[in-house]
Amino acid sequence: GAGVSQSPSNKVTEKGKDVELRCDPISGHTALYWYRQRLGQGLEFLIYFQGNSAPDKSGLPSDRFSAERTGESVSTLTIQRTQQEDSAVYLCASSLVYNEQFFGPGTRLTVL
Amino acid sequence: DAKTTQPTSMDCAEGRAANLPCNHSTISGNEYVYWYRQIHSQGPQYIIHGLKNNETNEMASLIITEDRKSSTLILPHATLRDTAVYYCIVKAGGTSYGKLTFGQGTILTVHP
């Protein structure tokens, strides 16, 4: 089957605008993760969903960031009032219990 | 999760073995060593993981020292397509659940 997909692949926005990034995990994967990767840096954890449990939001950098997941399906990461420092590649991953995390290709966000 | 230390960069000739070291001297008993790699402009890809025994799969071998304070990822016959950033990650538990904490990784360049 298909891997993790993300849309859009690229997003250019103006400072102060809101953006929504979408992740479609691998079907049946109960866990879903969002990470951020700034240019030349390693990945930073943002948020993690696991089944019906409360999400682990410990990596969200500010209250401008939020994410939702519908059941064990699609997830949306929303960034409100974008700032230039939000420019990065946003990566989504999904997994089963005893398997590795499978990553999507990412969404490259550029805030002008 | 324990911190890891990796060399910033390494070179390897095509067809030779690539040995990538990782130091995790503060690793605790329930923490596993995971290796992921990230080829340019792609999401990270899982390679292998282990607790204390050496592990081998179709991609690589993982050698963990007896005291578990360091490990080596071995790509037995490196190809140009193995050029990537390699991340050594220590994470509690043997499941994929929970965030991955990425460091800066090792930039491996395989040359002809």
Side-chain angles (χ1 to χ4, degrees), chain A residues 30 33 35 37 96-97 99 101, chain B residues 36 38 46 96-98 100:
Chain A
T30 54
Y33 312 78
Y35 295 85
Q37 187 171 31
L96 293 169
V97 176
N99 297 89
Q101 294 184 22
Chain B
Y36 280 73
Q38 187 173 26
Y46 166 84
S96 62
Y97 287 164
L100 296 172

Side-chain angles (χ1 to χ4, degrees), chain B residues 35-109:
Chain B
W35 284 83
Y36 280 73
R37 74 179 182 183
Q38 187 173 26
I39 296 170
H40 183 62
S41 297
Q42 297 182 21
Q45 175 191 26
Y46 166 84
I47 301 173
I48 198 167
H49 77 282
L51 180 63
K52 55 183 179 180
N53 298 321
N54 298 337
E55 301 288 343
T56 296
N57 63 20
E58 65 278 5
M59 290 183 68
S61 294
L62 174 60
I63 308 298
I64 303 174
T65 58
E66 192 169 343
D67 63 7
R68 303 211 318 124
K69 294 185 177 182
S70 65
S71 60
T72 301
L73 178 74
I74 301 172
L75 308 178
H77 305 287
T79 71
L80 299 178
R81 289 175 296 179
D82 292 323
T83 292
V85 180
Y86 286 77
Y87 296 100
C88 171
I89 299 165
V90 171
K91 191 174 80 68
T95 74
S96 62
Y97 287 164
K99 64 181 180 182
L100 296 172
T101 302
F102 289 80
Q104 294 302 303
T106 296
I107 300 170
L108 174 68
T109 303

Side-chain angles (χ1 to χ4, degrees), chain A residues 3-50:
Chain A
V4 177
S5 60
Q6 294 185 244
S7 60
S9 55
N10 282 283
K11 176 72 176 178
V12 180
T13 190
E14 294 179 347
K15 178 181 174 181
K17 301 279 189 180
D18 297 352
V19 296
E20 283 190 355
L21 312 180
R22 178 187 170 105
C23 172
D24 285 273
I26 294 172
S27 178
H29 279 194
T30 54
L32 186 146
Y33 312 78
W34 283 97
Y35 295 85
R36 175 172 73 175
Q37 187 171 31
R38 291 190 166 120
L39 185 64
Q41 303 295 314
L43 279 74
E44 303 171 70
F45 166 77
L46 297 177
I47 187 169
Y48 153 51
F49 297 89
Q50 163 45 32

Side-chain angles (χ1 to χ4, degrees), chain A residues 53-67:
Chain A
S53 302
D56 176 356
K57 303 179 181 180
S58 60
L60 294 179
S62 77
D63 58 9
R64 296 186 295 105
F65 287 72
S66 63

